[in-house]
Amino acid sequence: MTQHQKVLFNQLESYRHDLLAVVEGLSNQQANIIPQGFHNNVRWNLGHVYLDQFLWIEALTKERTAVPERFTQWFGFGTSPKDFTEETPSFEELKHLLKTQSSFIKHSYQARLDEVFEPIEMGMRTIEEVLVRTIFHEGMHVQAIMDLRKFITE
């Protein structure tokens, strides 16, 4: 693994740690509140971040990843907590999935980061390029969760 790839995985783990730190101390009840003016809650944001990283890898490689069945139905683009069912992963389950995702991706894809695929959106052709995009996306959702926290912890 090259030095810049080591840096990439360090960033994935570090930013994921930051995301999980933002939700630290929230109760299950708080994670499910949708404040007035918002479309989603903390729980949805966590599931969406988890799903997004795998969906981009799938879009690029055309291979199935570790996305659990029905995640797209609950956490895909355009969904909301209104789509949740009794089977939707809990706040605690989502935190656990997020804690393990970076190491899973590292183990599964570190040898393939530079493999070139047919380009997808924005000309991304490698798993490494996709992971950079997902880091940006995750940061947007960290901010969304920070905004939600202002209303659910007052």
Side-chain angles (χ1 to χ4, degrees):
M1 187 169 12
T2 67
Q3 179 60 33
H4 79 271
Q5 291 169 338
K6 289 178 185 174
V7 169
L8 174 65
F9 283 116
N10 186 43
Q11 289 174 332
L12 280 173
E13 292 168 11
S14 178
Y15 294 134
R16 183 57 52 87
H17 178 268
D18 293 347
L19 168 65
L20 292 168
V22 170
V23 300
E24 188 67 34
L26 290 179
S27 68
N28 183 56
Q29 181 181 357
Q30 289 170 317
N32 285 295
I33 296 171
I34 305 173
Q36 186 172 1
F38 288 83
H39 298 288
N40 292 304
N41 56 27
V42 170
R43 183 175 164 206
W44 182 90
N45 276 273
L46 294 183
H48 182 72
V49 166
Y50 180 83
L51 173 65
D52 182 77
Q53 207 156 49
F54 282 133
L55 286 185
W56 280 102
I57 292 170
E58 285 184 3
L60 179 70
T61 65
K62 309 296 187 255
E63 300 166 1
R64 183 94 170 98
T65 63
V67 175
E69 200 172 319
R70 300 181 67 194
F71 257 58
T72 304
Q73 173 185 337
W74 298 315
F75 304 113
F77 182 77
T79 62
S80 80
K82 295 173 187 157
D83 300 310
F84 288 179
T85 66
E86 288 183 17
E87 293 84 31
T88 304
S90 70
F91 178 52
E92 290 302 319
E93 289 170 313
L94 290 169
K95 289 190 297 184
H96 174 74
L97 288 171
L98 287 162
K99 283 178 188 172
T100 60
Q101 187 178 28
S102 296
S103 60
F104 178 87
I105 287 174
K106 182 178 182 180
H107 176 75
S108 300
Y109 298 104
Q110 69 182 348
R112 299 179 67 194
L113 290 177
D114 290 331
E115 186 177 333
V116 178
F117 295 88
E118 219 28 64
I120 57 172
E121 189 176 319
M122 297 183 283
M124 294 182 290
R125 298 168 17 131
T126 67
I127 293 171
E128 183 175 8
E129 292 168 346
V130 162
L131 293 176
V132 169
R133 184 248 173 243
T134 66
I135 289 172
F136 171 77
H137 177 260
E138 186 163 335
M140 291 172 39
H141 285 276
V142 167
Q143 183 60 57
I145 292 168
M146 290 169 60
D147 292 343
L148 284 163
R149 275 192 75 108
K150 292 176 188 174
F151 292 91
I152 62 178
T153 58
E154 292 181 341

